[in-house]
């Protein structure tokens, strides 16, 4: 996939939410950076300050933090046409508490915070895009927080695979289990339970 094709995917993604003129697009394109991350390569590590917004063109990423016992706890999964970042670090300019790592060979488009601030002035539609995106992310975060309290593991699992039907094919079971806050063994039980109900 060449640079023009990669960039057009992000432009199309922007245009799904906000209108862009040809002049807007010409302002955006030079500010985009393409990054390729090999499987298991870190895109962000704990202690670094997140300085980019990251859009997944091809592949998949996951974000996690390390518990005191050294166990990974996955907080985000990301596939094509999703954004993945440590927004806390990006917005506060404080060191990240997360790791972001490639689950597969992954192609990303990054926009640095400095360039995005320039684009907010040059292309006001992008400011509107990010206002809507961050609102949506906040609503999803709150909904997930409520779900973790009020829903049982089977309900959370069923919602995940209903909302994202290919997610189980993209990530290993231990990552899905960690994201749901359950053991791999219990995830296996839930999958069998779900399949038996479908048959």
């Amino acid at each position: 996939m060449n640079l023009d094709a990669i960039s057009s995917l992000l432009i199309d993604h922007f245009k799904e939410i906000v209108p862009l003129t040809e002049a807007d697009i010409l302002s955006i394109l030079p500010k985009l950076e393409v990054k390729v991350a090999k499987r298991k390569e870190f895109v962000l590590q704990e202690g670094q300050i997140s300085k980019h917004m990251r859009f997944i063109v091809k592949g998949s990423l996951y974000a996690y933090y390390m518990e005191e016992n050294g166990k990974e706890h996955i907080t985000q999964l990301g596939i094509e046409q999703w954004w993945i970042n440590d927004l806390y670090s990006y917005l506060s300019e404080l060191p990240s508490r997360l790791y972001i790592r490639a689950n597969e060979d992954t192609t990303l488009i990054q926009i640095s915070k400095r360039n995005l601030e320039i684009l907010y002035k040059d292309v006001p539609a992008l400011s509107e895009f990010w206002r809507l995106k961050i609102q949506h992310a906040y609503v999803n975060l709150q909904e997930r927080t409520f779900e973790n309290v009020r829903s049982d593991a089977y309900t959370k699992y069923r919602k995940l695979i209903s909302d994202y039907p290919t997610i189980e094919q993209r990530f290993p079971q231990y990552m899905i289990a960690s994201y749901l806050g359950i053991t791999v063994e219990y995830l296996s039980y839930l999958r069998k339970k779900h399949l038996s109900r479908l048959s």
Side-chain angles (χ1 to χ4, degrees), residues 1-197:
M1 191 178 291
N2 63 36
L3 181 59
D4 288 343
I6 290 171
S7 300
S8 69
L9 286 172
L10 180 55
I11 296 299
D12 289 344
H13 177 73
F14 286 144
K15 289 165 75 173
E16 287 173 6
I17 297 176
V18 294
L20 293 175
T21 66
E22 285 303 313
D24 291 337
I25 293 168
L26 290 174
S27 294
I28 292 168
L29 291 176
K31 303 290 193 294
L32 305 181
E33 307 166 35
V34 175
K35 177 179 174 61
V36 176
K38 294 294 185 184
R39 181 174 177 268
K40 296 190 176 182
E41 183 180 341
F42 288 101
V43 174
L44 181 72
Q45 296 195 56
E46 181 182 28
Q48 295 177 332
I49 296 173
S50 183
K51 296 179 179 178
H52 297 83
M53 297 303 284
R54 300 175 182 88
F55 177 77
I56 303 172
V57 174
K58 188 177 187 326
S60 59
L61 297 169
Y62 62 104
Y64 67 93
Y65 66 86
M66 296 293 291
E67 297 179 356
E68 288 183 7
N69 60 8
K71 183 179 178 183
E72 294 180 8
H73 183 79
I74 294 177
T75 60
Q76 296 176 62
L77 303 171
I79 57 176
E80 287 87 358
Q81 303 216 11
W82 291 13
W83 296 87
I84 189 165
N85 199 3
D86 180 350
L87 274 179
Y88 168 82
S89 175
Y90 178 86
L91 294 171
S92 68
E93 299 186 350
L94 294 172
S96 176
R97 293 175 284 192
L98 295 178
Y99 297 87
I100 299 177
R101 198 172 193 183
N103 175 55
E104 306 166 320
D105 289 353
T106 300
T107 302
L108 302 162
I109 295 178
Q110 299 189 147
I111 311 176
S112 71
K113 188 171 186 178
R114 183 176 62 83
N115 279 337
L116 200 49
E117 294 291 342
I118 293 169
L119 287 173
Y120 286 158
K121 295 174 184 175
D122 294 346
V123 185
L126 279 193
S127 182
E128 175 68 2
F129 174 88
W130 280 111
R131 183 184 69 80
L132 295 170
K133 272 289 180 186
I134 289 174
Q135 282 182 356
H136 184 68
Y138 178 78
V139 169
N140 282 346
L141 176 62
Q142 193 166 59
E143 182 60 28
R144 188 175 173 210
T145 301
F146 287 150
E147 268 185 20
N148 285 340
V149 173
R150 70 185 179 207
S151 301
D152 60 34
Y154 179 61
T155 302
K156 289 187 280 188
Y157 168 73
R158 191 175 58 191
K159 181 171 178 10
L160 179 69
I161 62 172
S162 171
D163 290 348
Y164 311 110
T166 65
I167 205 83
E168 286 191 293
Q169 286 72 56
R170 303 297 298 277
F171 293 92
Q173 282 196 40
Y174 80 89
M175 289 188 188
I176 302 287
S178 175
Y179 179 75
L180 292 172
I182 59 177
T183 65
V184 173
E185 292 77 16
Y186 195 51
L187 174 61
S188 180
Y189 163 76
L190 294 179
R191 292 179 75 191
K192 288 176 185 173
K193 176 180 177 179
H194 186 65
L195 290 171
S196 69
R197 291 191 174 186

